[in-house]
Amino acid sequence: MKENNADIYKRKLNSMDEILHQISLMDQVSKEEELLEIIPVLLEALGNYTGAENVYIYEWSSEEHDRYNNTFEWCREGIKERNRTLQQIPVEL
């Protein structure tokens, strides 16, 4: 079923509220475990806001900063995860 403009606006507004909430929580974390709980929720909110199928976070995989590793991934329901295949990605790509 296709979303109408009011539904899209409501989804984006709810997602933006969640994004801002998760970012504010990130500012208050004192343990890495807390951060690891927040990031997937934030990625899902970003995916819902943008209507994306996947949302990723990459980190440098080398000191030369010439490759990335996918460290976090969110996938919409029904979309296959690609985290394991998105490793050692050259910057040129």
Side-chain angles (χ1 to χ4, degrees):
M1 186 165 107
K2 189 172 180 176
E3 286 182 297
N4 64 38
N5 287 341
D7 291 338
I8 293 170
Y9 177 76
K10 184 177 180 180
R11 174 180 52 82
K12 286 188 175 256
L13 187 60
N14 289 337
S15 296
M16 183 55 70
D17 286 344
E18 185 64 29
I19 291 166
L20 294 173
H21 176 68
Q22 295 304 319
I23 289 172
S24 71
L25 290 176
M26 289 175 85
D27 192 41
Q28 301 170 27
V29 298
S30 59
K31 300 178 186 173
E32 185 177 353
E33 294 82 22
E34 294 171 323
L35 185 61
L36 295 176
E37 291 175 15
I38 292 169
I39 289 174
V41 178
L42 176 60
L43 293 182
E44 180 178 3
L46 288 165
N48 288 332
Y49 180 80
T50 62
E53 293 182 349
N54 309 77
V55 179
Y56 306 103
I57 294 178
Y58 288 87
E59 293 181 12
W60 293 114
S61 65
S62 68
E63 289 186 22
E64 296 80 23
H65 292 181
D66 62 348
R67 296 186 177 276
Y68 297 106
N69 282 338
N70 180 313
T71 54
F72 293 94
E73 176 180 21
W74 170 83
C75 298
R76 187 167 303 287
E77 188 175 320
I79 303 299
K80 184 178 177 183
E81 290 185 10
R82 297 176 42 186
N83 187 307
R84 295 180 196 262
T85 63
L86 297 174
Q87 304 299 313
Q88 297 296 314
I89 305 297
V91 172
E92 299 82 36
L93 294 178

